Amino acid sequence: MQSNAKIGAVAAYDVSGVTVANGDDFHESRTQQEAEQAARYRLVIEEGPRTGSFIYKTMDRVTGEIVKQFPREQVIELMRDPGYSAGAVIDTRA
């Protein structure tokens, strides 16, 4: 397989001040607000306390606050216990 692709610079334009003059201004402003809110968050993936485990955090770029985390902090504490194994939290024996 040959790769003759050339990568070059692409012009970027600031469109943040551009307004749309159609009858759907509410929809456009709401879409822009949702896009700005989504851009405010970032996904951070950290290695968990055990080999092969990971912690996924959604963080607010502005405040640094953790908005969501998976797994929860309580589960991470359980994983630090040497006797913990997945599924061992609930005893299903009758």
Side-chain angles (χ1 to χ4, degrees):
M1 183 166 112
Q2 289 182 324
S3 177
N4 295 331
K6 294 186 180 184
I7 299 173
V10 177
Y13 301 97
D14 181 13
V15 293
S16 59
V18 175
T19 58
V20 178
N22 63 9
D24 203 13
D25 288 340
F26 175 76
H27 177 70
E28 290 296 326
S29 65
R30 176 139 185 175
T31 303
Q32 183 178 5
Q33 288 174 351
E34 290 173 357
E36 288 172 358
Q37 185 175 3
R40 183 175 177 162
Y41 299 116
R42 68 182 175 127
L43 176 65
V44 176
I45 303 172
E46 300 175 349
E47 189 172 353
R50 292 186 170 226
T51 305
S53 66
F54 297 94
I55 302 169
Y56 302 89
K57 297 178 181 180
T58 303
M59 297 185 73
D60 187 323
R61 291 178 188 259
V62 176
T63 65
E65 174 188 12
I66 298 173
V67 179
K68 292 182 184 178
Q69 177 177 315
F70 182 78
R72 294 180 182 168
E73 194 63 40
Q74 295 88 345
V75 176
I76 294 170
E77 289 300 319
L78 288 172
M79 292 171 69
R80 289 190 175 110
D81 182 8
Y84 172 80
S85 65
V89 177
I90 301 173
D91 186 4
T92 58
R93 292 175 289 167

